[in-house]
Amino acid sequence: MNSESNCPVSRRGLLQAGAGLLLATALPSIPAHSASSSNDYKVAVAAGRARLTGPDRPATDVWTYNGTVPGSLVRLRQGEPARLVVENRLDQETTVHWHGIRLPNAMDGVPGLTQPPIRPGESFIYEFTPPDAGTFWYHPHANSLEQLGRGLAGAVIVEEREPVAVDRDLVWVLSDWRLTEDGGIASGFGNRMEAGMSGRVGNTVTLNGRVSETEAFRTGERIRLRLVNASLARIMALRFDGHRPVVVAIDGQPCDPHEPEGRRIFLGPAMRVDLVLDMQGAPGRTYEVVDDFYDGLSYRLTQLAYDARPPIREHPLDAQLALLRNPLLEPDLASAERHRLTLQGGMMSAMMGRGDMQGGMMGGGGMMGMGHGAVWAINGQSMTGDGHAGMEPALAFKRGRSVVLELRNETTWWHPMHFHGHSLRVLSRNGRPVPHRQWQDTVLMAPKDVVGAAFVADNPGDWMLHCHVMDHQMSGMMTVLRVA
Ligand code: C2O
Ligand code: CU
């Protein structure tokens, strides 16, 4: 199997030792879609076709950024201004949200709240200077469930100023699709029963836009592997058979390098995890990468396939693994304001039990539902759809304040909760401290979880906060946090 599917994302990070050899033999050239100047991009949003399941299988009608799924890899440089011209060639409105990047509110891509939607035939210019290096992604925030479900997603790499010592820097954009027999995308977006349960989980998972049999490696390599879960609803728990991945960043933010608990890497929708993998497998052998998140539904994501060449080096590198931290302000826990955000609703909840499933519309009953068909709520409020003007914020903070949030999942379902505009220091889960000094913009909440998280409200504006299971967002698990 060729190695083109391993998008090489940085050459600056290549080690001197052995790099020339590796470059000549293993690395495809810089992908054609990378722009000439790495902070200046054109992104055309348009219909296209993709062979998701294999070269001789039927092609799928998809929606694309620059003609491919996933969309063009966007590579920016930390601290340097970026300009991204998005041109809408779909026949419906769209926007682009640069997920996880701490940018000015007007560039956040939420229709109604931060910008008017981009109408068909029109363009919008996103301009911002990414403060943090790391792994991010971009996707629509208009008709999100269908637009993401039809393929609109791409990775954003913000390069470190100082390169990291690895042989190759790879990104795996993982996407979940619900395909029909003949390769089409199944209709039925926004199915109400699914919305009240786990969301639209599909039947086909692609790695960089295709179902992957193998990914090519060489014994002795050190890999930085950037995982992006671009699924609508599928949660993943990845195991790398025969390997010991080290987590070095979560949601783009460096953490203390550590081996994940039980050697499983949890990736909720919209989450990113950067791994360092020392490829210590035997030449010529293959090793499985398995996703076993859902009981009884585990599947092989791909196989790590070693070529027959001798090891690139005798012993694993002993270069350090820790990435340089980004310029995030440490919240002052002693003086912080404290608030609670409670997640409510879903199938088999009191909220659903009030007849909402039958009625199809939120009644009064203490709910201040904005839209139709809410099945979820945050602090008793249901904001539905993709974004609105005039939404009363659930919480408002004075700029510069430290804030501690208690996130309470009162539902019996999982929710990856995404905060726009900020990264949160995750402090505790169910009363136990969370180690490794980790920051996240998307916090995966198991049923009944209680998570403590803190941040400095330093980015002014009205910011979305929602579940990234798209059906959950659309049906009420969304609100606004105001920093002024
Ligand atoms: Cu990635 Cu509001 O979302
Ligand atoms: Cu959810």
Side-chain angles (χ1 to χ4, degrees), residues 301-360:
L301 175 68
T302 186
Q303 299 174 92
L304 311 174
Y306 285 82
D307 63 29
R309 288 174 298 164
I312 191 172
R313 58 175 65 81
E314 280 313 316
H315 303 287
L317 265 184
D318 81 6
Q320 74 148 21
L321 294 175
L323 302 173
L324 213 59
R325 297 263 167 177
N326 285 316
L328 287 158
L329 291 177
E330 272 294 338
D332 174 25
L333 300 183
S335 74
E337 326 180 356
R338 286 166 190 268
H339 299 276
R340 178 178 286 175
L341 289 166
T342 305
L343 315 181
Q344 301 147 322
M347 283 292 280
M348 294 169 302
S349 73
M351 194 171 152
M352 297 293 285
R354 286 200 294 255
D356 304 311
M357 274 304 279
Q358 294 77 24

Side-chain angles (χ1 to χ4, degrees), residues 329-341 394-407 419 422-427 439 451-459 463 465 481-484:
L329 291 177
E330 272 294 338
D332 174 25
L333 300 183
S335 74
E337 326 180 356
R338 286 166 190 268
H339 299 276
R340 178 178 286 175
L341 289 166
L395 299 170
F397 311 113
K398 211 163 160 285
R399 188 175 177 184
R401 284 300 304 242
S402 288
V403 178
V404 175
L405 296 176
E406 184 187 76
L407 308 170
F419 293 76
H422 297 83
S423 284
L424 278 67
R425 177 76 189 274
V426 183
L427 303 171
W439 297 76
V451 169
F455 68 108
V456 177
D458 59 351
N459 199 356
W463 299 104
L465 156 61
L481 302 182
R482 175 170 293 165
V483 178

Side-chain angles (χ1 to χ4, degrees), residues 97 99 110 137 139 141 270 418 420 464 466 468 470 473:
H97 172 57
H99 183 119
V110 180
W137 69 298
H139 65 78
H141 224 287
H418 173 46
H420 285 217
M464 276 291 172
H466 61 86
H468 224 288
M470 281 297 161
Q473 175 204 298

Side-chain angles (χ1 to χ4, degrees), residues 35 68 128 143 146 149 155 157 175 234 241 279 310 356 371 390 444 454:
T68 58
F128 55 86
N143 190 17
E146 184 176 5
I157 307 300
S175 308
R234 181 183 288 277
D241 182 29
M279 306 306 293
D356 304 311
L444 184 60

